[in-house]
C-alpha cells in the first residue's frame, strides 16, 4: 500500500491505482523510462477495455434500440488505440482528413464512423459520402453543398444536421459548445432558425439525423441532458410535421466530464444514461437509434505521463523539481492551470511510490518559459534528481496532443497490461509481470528536422 492506493473506498479506483504503480515500476525496470528516455506515456489497456464495456452496458441498460458508440478521435488520436476500441465495439467520430486517415488505418469500418467537422471541404464531403460514412452537417451552406453532391452521386451515408440548443455553457468557456454564440451547428433559438431547420428536413427526405454536442469538461450533466432533450423535441416536431419517422437517429455527442481529483471514475456512464432516460424518456422507447461520441471519459483516466526528475533546486525558498514533462505534453495545464489541474504522483528512482512528508514544491517542465509548470506549490514527498514525477489522468487531450515548443520530441507511448488486475491492491513483487507494447515510438531528432523543413534547407538562399 502506498499513498495513491491507501484507504480508497472504491475498489475499482484502488485497482486502477495499483495497476499504475505496478506499470511505473516495470517501466523503470525495463528501461522504458530512465536516464536515456526521460519521458514516456503509459496507457492502461485493462482500464480502457473496462471503460468501453461500461459505456456499452450503460446504454444497453436504458434502451433496446441500436446504439453506435463513436469514440471522439481527437481525444486520443493513436492508431492502435482506435483499433483496440474498435475491437471493443466502439466506432469513431472524426473531424478532419487526418483523423479519418487514422481511423481507416485502424480498420474502423465506414458504417461505424461519423464525420462532424465544422469546416468540411467539398472533397472531404465527397469522400465521406462515397464511403458511406455518417455525416453531420454544421450549417445551411453545408446542407446546400450536400444537396449538390447527392444530386450528382447518390449516397448510402446517413446525413444529419448539428443543432446548438443554446442552453448555455459550463465552467470552461473554451469547451462550451452550446452557448448563444458558439461556432457549432445551427443555433435553435436564433430568429427563424428553428423554422429553417424544420423546413430543411421536410424538403430533404435524406436528412434523417439530428446531432448535438453541448460541450466537454466543465458542463454539468443536467445541462448535457437538457441539450439532448431540446434536440429530441425538435426531432418529434419534425416527425410530426413529416407524418413519418424521418428523423430516425439522434446523435447525442459526448462531453461526460472526468474527475481529475482522484482515481474514482465519476460520474459514470451508467449515471449519465439513467439521467438521460429520466429526463428524455421518449428517446429511449425504441423509436430512435442513438449515436454517442464520448472522448475524454473513455481515455483520460487510463493515461499516465512519467517524467524523470533531471535536477532539483530551490528559488525564493521554494523547492523545484525540473522534469521532462511540461507544455509539450500538457499544454492545457501549463497555459490554463486553474481549469486543468493535474494530479502528480511521486515515484523514487526505482519507480516505487515515494513516501515521506509532503513538501510544497513546483514540478516544472523542460521548456524555456517560466510558466512551464505541471504543478505549482504542490505538497508531495520531496522529489530528488533521478526520481520520477507522474502526471495522472492524461490519457485524453494530453500526450497525444503534442505541442512542438522548443522542438521537444514527442514521447513514446506504451500500452501496458498489468500482471495482476490490481484488485487486491498489491503490485507485482518485481514488476516483471507487466507487459508493454509500443503504441508510438519516441520522435527522433531526424524526424524533428524532417518536419521542420529539413528537406528545404537551402530554400531561402536564393530569395
Ligand atoms: C470533442 C467532441 C466530442 C468529445 O468530447 P469529450 O468531452 O471528449 O467527450 C464529441 N463530439 C464532438 C462533436 C466533439 O467536438
Amino acid at each position: 500500500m502506498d499513498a495513491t492506493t491507501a484507504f480508497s473506498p472504491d475498489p475499482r479506483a484502488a485497482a486502477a491505482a495499483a495497476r499504475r504503480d505496478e506499470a511505473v515500476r516495470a517501466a523503470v525496470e525495463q528501461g522504458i523510462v530512465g536516464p536515456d528516455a526521460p519521458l514516456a506515456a503509459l496507457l492502461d489497456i485493462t482500464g480502457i477495455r473496462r471503460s468501453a464495456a461500461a459505456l456499452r452496458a450503460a446504454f444497453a441498460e436504458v434502451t433496446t434500440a441500436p446504439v453506435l458508440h463513436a469514440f471522439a478521435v481527437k481525444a486520443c488520436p493513436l492508431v492502435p488505440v482506435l483499433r483496440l476500441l474498435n475491437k471493443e465495439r466502439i466506432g469513431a467520430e472524426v473531424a478532419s482528413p487526418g483523423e479519418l486517415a487514422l481511423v481507416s488505418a485502424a480498420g474502423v469500418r465506414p458504417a461505424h464512423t461519423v464525420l462532424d467537422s465544422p469546416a468540411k471541404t467539398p472533397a472531404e464531403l465527397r469522400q465521406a459520402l462515397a464511403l458511406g460514412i455518417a455525416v453531420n452537417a454544421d450549417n445551411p451552406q453545408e446542407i446546400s453543398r450536400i444537396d449538390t453532391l447527392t444530386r450528382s452521386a447518390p449516397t448510402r451515408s446517413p446525413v444529419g444536421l448539428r443543432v446548438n440548443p443554446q442552453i448555455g455553457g459550463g465552467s470552461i468557456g473554451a469547451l462550451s459548445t452550446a452557448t448563444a454564440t458558439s461556432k457549432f451547428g445551427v443555433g435553435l433559438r436564433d430568429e427563424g432558425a428553428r423554422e429553417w431547420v424544420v423546413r430543411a428536413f421536410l424538403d430533404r427526405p435524406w436528412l434523417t439525423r439530428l446531432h448535438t454536442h453541448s460541450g466537454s469538461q466543465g458542463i454539468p450533466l443536467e445541462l448535457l441532458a437538457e441539450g439532448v432533450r431540446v434536440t429530441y423535441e425538435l426531432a418529434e416536431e419534425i416527425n410530426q410535421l413529416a407524418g413519418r419517422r424521418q428523423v430516425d437517429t439522434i446523435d447525442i455527442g459526448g462531453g461526460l466530464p472526468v474527475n481529475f481529483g482522484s482515481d474514482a471514475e465519476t460520474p459514470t456512464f451508467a449515471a449519465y444514461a439513467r439521467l438521460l432516460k429520466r429526463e428524455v424518456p421518449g428517446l429511449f422507447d425504441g423509436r430512435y437509434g442513438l449515436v454517442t461520441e464520448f472522448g475524454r471519459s473513455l481515455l483520460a483516466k487510463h493515461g499516465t505521463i512519467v517524467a524523470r526528475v533531471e535536477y532539483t533546486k530551490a528559488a525564493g525558498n521554494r523547492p523545484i523539481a525540473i522534469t521532462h514533462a511540461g507544455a509539450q505534453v500538457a499544454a492545457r495545464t501549463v497555459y490554463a492551470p486553474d481549469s486543468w489541474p493535474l494530479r502528480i504522483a511521486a515515484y523514487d528512482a526505482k519507480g516505487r511510490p515515494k513516501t515521506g512528508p509532503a513538501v510544497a514544491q513546483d514540478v516544472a517542465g523542460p521548456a524555456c518559459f517560466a510558466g512551464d509548470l505541471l504543478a505549482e506549490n504542490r505538497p508531495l514527498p520531496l522529489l530528488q534528481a533521478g526520481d520520477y514525477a507522474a502526471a495522472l489522468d492524461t490519457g485524453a487531450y494530453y500526450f497525444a496532443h503534442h505541442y512542438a515548443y522548443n522542438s521537444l520530441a514527442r514521447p513514446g507511448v506504451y500500452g501496458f497490461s498489468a500482471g495482476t488486475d490490481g484488485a487486491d491492491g498489491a503490485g507485482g513483487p518485481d514488476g516483471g509481470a507487466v507487459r508493454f507494447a509500443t503504441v508510438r515510438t519516441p520522435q527522433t531528432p531526424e524526424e524533428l528536422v524532417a518536419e521542420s523543413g529539413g528537406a528545404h534547407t537551402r530554400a531561402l538562399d536564393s530569395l
Side-chain angles (χ1 to χ4, degrees), residues 70-76 93-95 114-118 136 162 175 177 184 211-219 224 251-258 269 292-298 332 340 396-397:
F71 174 62
V73 169
K74 74 169 184 279
C76 190
E93 184 263 355
V94 298
V114 180
L115 173 64
D116 274 349
S117 132
N136 287 316
R162 179 165 182 173
L175 269 63
T177 49
F184 293 106
H211 172 220
T212 194
H213 170 70
S214 292
S216 252
Q217 194 67 18
I219 311 280
L224 290 177
D251 181 334
I252 64 169
L256 190 71
V258 162
F269 290 119
T292 74
E293 304 173 341
F294 296 101
R296 183 178 288 106
S297 49
L298 276 167
R332 281 183 169 160
W340 299 102
Y397 304 103

Short mmCIF file of all heavy atoms in Angstrom, two decimals, residues 70-76 93-95 114-118 136 162 175 177 184 211-219 224 251-258 269 292-298 332 340 396-397, ligand 1:
data_model
loop_
_atom_site.label_atom_id
_atom_site.label_comp_id
_atom_site.label_asym_id
_atom_site.label_seq_id
_atom_site.Cartn_x
_atom_site.Cartn_y
_atom_site.Cartn_z
N ALA A 70 -19.35 6.08 -30.88
CA ALA A 70 -18.25 6.53 -31.75
C ALA A 70 -17.27 7.32 -30.87
O ALA A 70 -17.62 8.37 -30.34
CB ALA A 70 -18.80 7.39 -32.88
N PHE A 71 -16.07 6.79 -30.72
CA PHE A 71 -15.05 7.47 -29.90
C PHE A 71 -14.63 8.76 -30.60
O PHE A 71 -14.30 8.76 -31.80
CB PHE A 71 -13.86 6.53 -29.73
CG PHE A 71 -12.68 7.17 -29.04
CD1 PHE A 71 -12.79 7.65 -27.74
CD2 PHE A 71 -11.47 7.32 -29.70
CE1 PHE A 71 -11.71 8.24 -27.10
CE2 PHE A 71 -10.38 7.91 -29.08
CZ PHE A 71 -10.50 8.37 -27.78
N ALA A 72 -14.62 9.86 -29.86
CA ALA A 72 -14.16 11.13 -30.43
C ALA A 72 -12.64 11.05 -30.60
O ALA A 72 -11.88 11.19 -29.65
CB ALA A 72 -14.54 12.29 -29.51
N VAL A 73 -12.21 10.83 -31.84
CA VAL A 73 -10.81 10.52 -32.11
C VAL A 73 -9.89 11.62 -31.59
O VAL A 73 -8.76 11.35 -31.18
CB VAL A 73 -10.61 10.27 -33.63
CG1 VAL A 73 -9.14 10.21 -34.00
CG2 VAL A 73 -11.31 8.97 -34.02
N LYS A 74 -10.34 12.86 -31.60
CA LYS A 74 -9.45 13.93 -31.17
C LYS A 74 -8.95 13.73 -29.74
O LYS A 74 -7.89 14.22 -29.39
CB LYS A 74 -10.11 15.31 -31.32
CG LYS A 74 -11.19 15.64 -30.31
CD LYS A 74 -11.57 17.13 -30.43
CE LYS A 74 -12.58 17.56 -29.38
NZ LYS A 74 -13.97 17.20 -29.76
N ALA A 75 -9.69 12.98 -28.92
CA ALA A 75 -9.28 12.79 -27.53
C ALA A 75 -8.01 11.94 -27.41
O ALA A 75 -7.25 12.10 -26.46
CB ALA A 75 -10.41 12.16 -26.72
N CYS A 76 -7.79 11.03 -28.36
CA CYS A 76 -6.59 10.17 -28.31
C CYS A 76 -6.30 9.61 -29.69
O CYS A 76 -6.60 8.45 -29.98
CB CYS A 76 -6.77 9.04 -27.29
SG CYS A 76 -5.23 8.15 -26.96
N GLU A 93 -15.60 8.90 -34.13
CA GLU A 93 -16.09 10.21 -34.59
C GLU A 93 -14.87 10.99 -35.04
O GLU A 93 -13.91 11.14 -34.29
CB GLU A 93 -16.81 10.93 -33.44
CG GLU A 93 -17.43 12.25 -33.83
CD GLU A 93 -16.59 13.47 -33.50
OE1 GLU A 93 -15.52 13.34 -32.85
OE2 GLU A 93 -16.98 14.57 -33.88
N VAL A 94 -14.88 11.44 -36.32
CA VAL A 94 -13.72 12.14 -36.86
C VAL A 94 -14.10 13.54 -37.28
O VAL A 94 -15.26 13.83 -37.56
CB VAL A 94 -13.11 11.38 -38.06
CG1 VAL A 94 -12.63 10.01 -37.63
CG2 VAL A 94 -14.10 11.28 -39.22
N ALA A 95 -13.10 14.42 -37.34
CA ALA A 95 -13.38 15.81 -37.66
C ALA A 95 -12.29 16.43 -38.54
O ALA A 95 -12.13 17.64 -38.56
CB ALA A 95 -13.55 16.62 -36.38
N VAL A 114 -18.33 8.42 -37.96
CA VAL A 114 -19.17 9.62 -38.05
C VAL A 114 -18.25 10.81 -38.31
O VAL A 114 -17.23 10.96 -37.64
CB VAL A 114 -19.93 9.86 -36.72
CG1 VAL A 114 -20.80 11.10 -36.81
CG2 VAL A 114 -20.77 8.64 -36.35
N LEU A 115 -18.61 11.64 -39.31
CA LEU A 115 -17.80 12.83 -39.63
C LEU A 115 -18.54 14.09 -39.18
O LEU A 115 -19.67 14.33 -39.59
CB LEU A 115 -17.55 12.88 -41.15
CG LEU A 115 -16.85 14.15 -41.68
CD1 LEU A 115 -15.44 14.27 -41.12
CD2 LEU A 115 -16.82 14.15 -43.21
N ASP A 116 -17.86 14.91 -38.39
CA ASP A 116 -18.50 16.04 -37.71
C ASP A 116 -17.84 17.40 -37.88
O ASP A 116 -18.24 18.33 -37.22
CB ASP A 116 -18.49 15.79 -36.19
CG ASP A 116 -19.65 14.96 -35.71
OD1 ASP A 116 -20.58 14.74 -36.48
OD2 ASP A 116 -19.61 14.55 -34.54
N SER A 117 -16.80 17.55 -38.65
CA SER A 117 -16.05 18.81 -38.57
C SER A 117 -16.89 20.02 -38.97
O SER A 117 -17.79 19.92 -39.81
CB SER A 117 -14.83 18.70 -39.48
OG SER A 117 -14.71 19.83 -40.30
N PRO A 118 -16.60 21.19 -38.41
CA PRO A 118 -17.35 22.39 -38.80
C PRO A 118 -16.83 23.00 -40.10
O PRO A 118 -17.41 23.97 -40.58
CB PRO A 118 -17.10 23.35 -37.63
CG PRO A 118 -15.79 22.93 -37.06
CD PRO A 118 -15.68 21.45 -37.29
N ASN A 136 -22.57 14.62 -40.31
CA ASN A 136 -23.42 15.63 -39.68
C ASN A 136 -23.03 16.99 -40.23
O ASN A 136 -21.91 17.46 -40.02
CB ASN A 136 -23.25 15.61 -38.15
CG ASN A 136 -23.92 14.38 -37.54
OD1 ASN A 136 -25.04 14.03 -37.92
ND2 ASN A 136 -23.23 13.73 -36.62
N ARG A 162 -26.24 19.24 -37.34
CA ARG A 162 -25.88 19.59 -35.96
C ARG A 162 -26.66 20.83 -35.53
O ARG A 162 -26.68 21.84 -36.24
CB ARG A 162 -24.39 19.87 -35.84
CG ARG A 162 -23.99 20.26 -34.41
CD ARG A 162 -22.51 20.19 -34.20
NE ARG A 162 -22.17 20.52 -32.82
CZ ARG A 162 -20.95 20.41 -32.31
NH1 ARG A 162 -19.97 19.99 -33.07
NH2 ARG A 162 -20.71 20.73 -31.05
N LEU A 175 -14.52 25.22 -23.85
CA LEU A 175 -15.06 23.89 -24.14
C LEU A 175 -16.58 23.87 -24.13
O LEU A 175 -17.20 22.82 -24.18
CB LEU A 175 -14.51 22.87 -23.14
CG LEU A 175 -13.21 22.20 -23.60
CD1 LEU A 175 -12.09 23.19 -23.76
CD2 LEU A 175 -12.82 21.10 -22.66
N THR A 177 -19.89 24.37 -25.99
CA THR A 177 -20.28 24.50 -27.39
C THR A 177 -21.76 24.80 -27.56
O THR A 177 -22.24 24.84 -28.69
CB THR A 177 -19.94 23.20 -28.15
OG1 THR A 177 -20.44 22.09 -27.41
CG2 THR A 177 -18.45 23.04 -28.31
N PHE A 184 -20.63 26.31 -33.39
CA PHE A 184 -21.05 24.99 -33.87
C PHE A 184 -22.55 24.89 -34.15
O PHE A 184 -23.37 25.30 -33.32
CB PHE A 184 -20.69 23.91 -32.86
CG PHE A 184 -19.22 23.71 -32.69
CD1 PHE A 184 -18.57 24.18 -31.57
CD2 PHE A 184 -18.48 23.06 -33.68
CE1 PHE A 184 -17.21 24.01 -31.42
CE2 PHE A 184 -17.11 22.88 -33.53
CZ PHE A 184 -16.48 23.35 -32.40
N HIS A 211 -28.03 16.04 -34.58
CA HIS A 211 -26.78 15.89 -33.81
C HIS A 211 -26.65 17.08 -32.87
O HIS A 211 -26.90 18.22 -33.26
CB HIS A 211 -25.59 15.87 -34.79
CG HIS A 211 -24.24 15.91 -34.12
ND1 HIS A 211 -23.20 16.66 -34.63
CD2 HIS A 211 -23.76 15.31 -33.02
CE1 HIS A 211 -22.13 16.50 -33.85
NE2 HIS A 211 -22.44 15.68 -32.87
N THR A 212 -26.25 16.80 -31.63
CA THR A 212 -25.93 17.88 -30.70
C THR A 212 -24.75 17.45 -29.83
O THR A 212 -24.56 16.26 -29.57
CB THR A 212 -27.15 18.24 -29.82
OG1 THR A 212 -26.91 19.48 -29.17
CG2 THR A 212 -27.44 17.16 -28.77
N HIS A 213 -23.96 18.40 -29.44
CA HIS A 213 -22.84 18.13 -28.52
C HIS A 213 -22.64 19.44 -27.76
O HIS A 213 -22.16 20.41 -28.31
CB HIS A 213 -21.57 17.73 -29.28
CG HIS A 213 -20.33 17.68 -28.43
ND1 HIS A 213 -20.12 16.71 -27.47
CD2 HIS A 213 -19.25 18.48 -28.39
CE1 HIS A 213 -18.95 16.93 -26.89
NE2 HIS A 213 -18.40 18.00 -27.42
N SER A 214 -23.07 19.44 -26.51
CA SER A 214 -23.12 20.72 -25.77
C SER A 214 -21.81 21.11 -25.14
O SER A 214 -21.70 22.16 -24.52
CB SER A 214 -24.21 20.64 -24.69
OG SER A 214 -25.47 20.58 -25.31
N GLY A 215 -20.82 20.24 -25.27
CA GLY A 215 -19.52 20.62 -24.74
C GLY A 215 -18.93 19.49 -23.95
O GLY A 215 -19.39 18.36 -23.99
N SER A 216 -17.90 19.82 -23.23
CA SER A 216 -16.95 18.89 -22.68
C SER A 216 -16.77 19.19 -21.20
O SER A 216 -17.63 19.81 -20.60
CB SER A 216 -15.65 19.09 -23.44
OG SER A 216 -15.40 18.03 -24.29
N GLN A 217 -15.61 18.78 -20.72
CA GLN A 217 -15.25 19.04 -19.32
C GLN A 217 -15.83 20.36 -18.82
O GLN A 217 -15.67 21.39 -19.47
CB GLN A 217 -13.73 19.08 -19.22
CG GLN A 217 -13.20 19.00 -17.82
CD GLN A 217 -13.47 17.64 -17.19
OE1 GLN A 217 -13.74 16.67 -17.87
NE2 GLN A 217 -13.40 17.57 -15.88
N GLY A 218 -16.47 20.30 -17.66
CA GLY A 218 -16.99 21.54 -17.06
C GLY A 218 -18.47 21.76 -17.29
O GLY A 218 -19.06 22.67 -16.70
N ILE A 219 -19.09 20.94 -18.13
CA ILE A 219 -20.54 21.07 -18.35
C ILE A 219 -21.26 20.14 -17.37
O ILE A 219 -20.99 18.94 -17.36
CB ILE A 219 -20.95 20.67 -19.79
CG1 ILE A 219 -20.06 21.34 -20.83
CG2 ILE A 219 -22.42 20.93 -20.03
CD1 ILE A 219 -20.40 22.75 -21.15
N LEU A 224 -26.05 18.90 -20.04
CA LEU A 224 -25.90 17.98 -21.18
C LEU A 224 -27.25 17.35 -21.52
O LEU A 224 -27.65 17.28 -22.68
CB LEU A 224 -24.89 16.87 -20.85
CG LEU A 224 -23.41 17.25 -20.72
CD1 LEU A 224 -22.60 16.02 -20.30
CD2 LEU A 224 -22.87 17.82 -22.02
N ASP A 251 -27.90 11.82 -32.53
CA ASP A 251 -26.51 11.74 -32.10
C ASP A 251 -26.36 12.71 -30.92
O ASP A 251 -26.50 13.93 -31.09
CB ASP A 251 -25.61 12.14 -33.28
CG ASP A 251 -24.13 12.07 -32.96
OD1 ASP A 251 -23.77 12.20 -31.77
OD2 ASP A 251 -23.33 11.93 -33.91
N ILE A 252 -26.13 12.15 -29.73
CA ILE A 252 -26.14 12.98 -28.51
C ILE A 252 -24.76 13.52 -28.14
O ILE A 252 -24.59 14.13 -27.09
CB ILE A 252 -26.74 12.22 -27.31
CG1 ILE A 252 -25.87 11.02 -26.92
CG2 ILE A 252 -28.17 11.78 -27.61
CD1 ILE A 252 -26.25 10.39 -25.58
N GLY A 253 -23.75 13.30 -29.01
CA GLY A 253 -22.43 13.85 -28.73
C GLY A 253 -21.76 13.15 -27.55
O GLY A 253 -22.15 12.04 -27.16
N GLY A 254 -20.75 13.81 -27.02
CA GLY A 254 -20.01 13.23 -25.88
C GLY A 254 -20.10 14.17 -24.70
O GLY A 254 -21.17 14.66 -24.37
N GLY A 255 -18.96 14.45 -24.08
CA GLY A 255 -18.92 15.51 -23.07
C GLY A 255 -19.00 15.07 -21.64
O GLY A 255 -18.96 15.91 -20.75
N LEU A 256 -19.12 13.75 -21.38
CA LEU A 256 -19.17 13.34 -19.97
C LEU A 256 -17.89 13.82 -19.28
O LEU A 256 -16.79 13.51 -19.73
CB LEU A 256 -19.30 11.82 -19.85
CG LEU A 256 -19.60 11.31 -18.45
CD1 LEU A 256 -21.02 11.66 -18.04
CD2 LEU A 256 -19.36 9.81 -18.33
N PRO A 257 -18.03 14.61 -18.20
CA PRO A 257 -16.81 15.14 -17.56
C PRO A 257 -16.04 14.05 -16.83
O PRO A 257 -16.58 13.00 -16.49
CB PRO A 257 -17.35 16.18 -16.58
CG PRO A 257 -18.79 15.88 -16.39
CD PRO A 257 -19.26 15.09 -17.57
N VAL A 258 -14.77 14.33 -16.59
CA VAL A 258 -13.87 13.39 -15.92
C VAL A 258 -13.45 13.99 -14.58
O VAL A 258 -13.22 15.19 -14.47
CB VAL A 258 -12.64 13.12 -16.82
CG1 VAL A 258 -11.48 12.51 -16.04
CG2 VAL A 258 -13.04 12.20 -17.98
N PHE A 269 -20.74 6.41 -16.79
CA PHE A 269 -21.61 6.33 -17.97
C PHE A 269 -23.02 5.90 -17.55
O PHE A 269 -24.01 6.40 -18.08
CB PHE A 269 -21.05 5.32 -18.98
CG PHE A 269 -19.79 5.78 -19.66
CD1 PHE A 269 -18.61 5.06 -19.53
CD2 PHE A 269 -19.78 6.92 -20.45
CE1 PHE A 269 -17.44 5.48 -20.17
CE2 PHE A 269 -18.62 7.34 -21.09
CZ PHE A 269 -17.46 6.62 -20.95
N THR A 292 -23.43 7.98 -29.84
CA THR A 292 -22.73 8.75 -28.81
C THR A 292 -21.32 9.04 -29.30
O THR A 292 -20.81 8.34 -30.19
CB THR A 292 -22.62 8.00 -27.46
OG1 THR A 292 -21.63 6.97 -27.57
CG2 THR A 292 -23.96 7.40 -27.03
N GLU A 293 -20.70 10.08 -28.74
CA GLU A 293 -19.36 10.49 -29.18
C GLU A 293 -18.47 10.84 -27.98
O GLU A 293 -17.95 11.95 -27.90
CB GLU A 293 -19.47 11.73 -30.08
CG GLU A 293 -20.38 11.57 -31.27
CD GLU A 293 -20.61 12.87 -32.04
OE1 GLU A 293 -20.37 13.96 -31.46
OE2 GLU A 293 -21.02 12.80 -33.19
N PHE A 294 -18.32 9.90 -27.07
CA PHE A 294 -17.51 10.20 -25.89
C PHE A 294 -16.02 10.12 -26.21
O PHE A 294 -15.59 9.28 -27.01
CB PHE A 294 -17.84 9.24 -24.75
CG PHE A 294 -19.26 9.40 -24.26
CD1 PHE A 294 -20.24 8.52 -24.65
CD2 PHE A 294 -19.61 10.46 -23.45
CE1 PHE A 294 -21.56 8.66 -24.23
CE2 PHE A 294 -20.91 10.63 -23.03
CZ PHE A 294 -21.90 9.74 -23.42
N GLY A 295 -15.25 11.01 -25.63
CA GLY A 295 -13.81 11.02 -25.84
C GLY A 295 -13.08 10.93 -24.51
O GLY A 295 -12.63 9.87 -24.08
N ARG A 296 -13.04 12.07 -23.83
CA ARG A 296 -12.27 12.15 -22.58
C ARG A 296 -12.68 11.07 -21.58
O ARG A 296 -11.82 10.45 -20.94
CB ARG A 296 -12.49 13.55 -21.96
CG ARG A 296 -11.69 13.78 -20.67
CD ARG A 296 -11.90 15.20 -20.12
NE ARG A 296 -11.24 16.17 -20.94
CZ ARG A 296 -11.85 17.01 -21.77
NH1 ARG A 296 -13.16 17.01 -21.86
NH2 ARG A 296 -11.16 17.85 -22.49
N SER A 297 -13.97 10.84 -21.43
CA SER A 297 -14.43 9.91 -20.40
C SER A 297 -14.03 8.46 -20.70
O SER A 297 -14.01 7.63 -19.80
CB SER A 297 -15.95 10.01 -20.24
OG SER A 297 -16.59 9.96 -21.52
N LEU A 298 -13.70 8.13 -21.95
CA LEU A 298 -13.23 6.77 -22.25
C LEU A 298 -11.73 6.60 -21.98
O LEU A 298 -11.29 5.51 -21.66
CB LEU A 298 -13.52 6.43 -23.72
CG LEU A 298 -14.93 5.90 -24.03
CD1 LEU A 298 -15.18 5.91 -25.53
CD2 LEU A 298 -15.12 4.49 -23.47
N ARG A 332 -2.62 22.30 -21.98
CA ARG A 332 -3.76 22.93 -21.29
C ARG A 332 -3.42 23.25 -19.84
O ARG A 332 -3.75 24.32 -19.34
CB ARG A 332 -4.98 22.01 -21.37
CG ARG A 332 -5.66 22.10 -22.70
CD ARG A 332 -6.91 21.26 -22.79
NE ARG A 332 -7.62 21.64 -24.02
CZ ARG A 332 -8.53 20.89 -24.62
NH1 ARG A 332 -8.87 19.73 -24.12
NH2 ARG A 332 -9.11 21.31 -25.72
N TRP A 340 -7.33 23.28 -15.60
CA TRP A 340 -6.83 21.92 -15.88
C TRP A 340 -5.77 21.45 -14.90
O TRP A 340 -4.67 21.05 -15.29
CB TRP A 340 -6.26 21.87 -17.31
CG TRP A 340 -7.28 22.19 -18.34
CD1 TRP A 340 -7.45 23.36 -19.01
CD2 TRP A 340 -8.33 21.32 -18.79
NE1 TRP A 340 -8.52 23.27 -19.86
CE2 TRP A 340 -9.08 22.03 -19.75
CE3 TRP A 340 -8.70 20.00 -18.47
CZ2 TRP A 340 -10.19 21.48 -20.38
CZ3 TRP A 340 -9.79 19.46 -19.12
CH2 TRP A 340 -10.52 20.19 -20.06
N ALA A 396 -6.29 11.40 -22.30
CA ALA A 396 -7.04 12.12 -23.34
C ALA A 396 -6.59 13.57 -23.36
O ALA A 396 -6.45 14.19 -22.30
CB ALA A 396 -8.55 12.07 -23.06
N TYR A 397 -6.34 14.09 -24.54
CA TYR A 397 -6.02 15.51 -24.74
C TYR A 397 -4.70 15.93 -24.07
O TYR A 397 -4.50 17.11 -23.81
CB TYR A 397 -7.14 16.42 -24.24
CG TYR A 397 -8.51 16.16 -24.86
CD1 TYR A 397 -9.50 15.48 -24.17
CD2 TYR A 397 -8.79 16.60 -26.15
CE1 TYR A 397 -10.75 15.26 -24.73
CE2 TYR A 397 -10.03 16.38 -26.72
CZ TYR A 397 -11.01 15.71 -26.00
OH TYR A 397 -12.24 15.50 -26.57
C1 LIG B 1 -14.78 16.93 -28.80
C2 LIG B 1 -16.09 16.37 -29.26
C3 LIG B 1 -16.59 15.22 -28.67
C4 LIG B 1 -15.93 14.55 -27.49
O1 LIG B 1 -15.99 15.32 -26.33
P1 LIG B 1 -15.47 14.70 -24.95
O2 LIG B 1 -15.66 15.79 -23.97
O3 LIG B 1 -14.05 14.33 -25.13
O4 LIG B 1 -16.34 13.52 -24.64
C5 LIG B 1 -17.75 14.68 -29.19
N1 LIG B 1 -18.39 15.26 -30.23
C6 LIG B 1 -17.93 16.38 -30.82
C7 LIG B 1 -18.68 16.94 -31.96
C8 LIG B 1 -16.78 16.98 -30.35
O5 LIG B 1 -16.33 18.10 -30.92
#
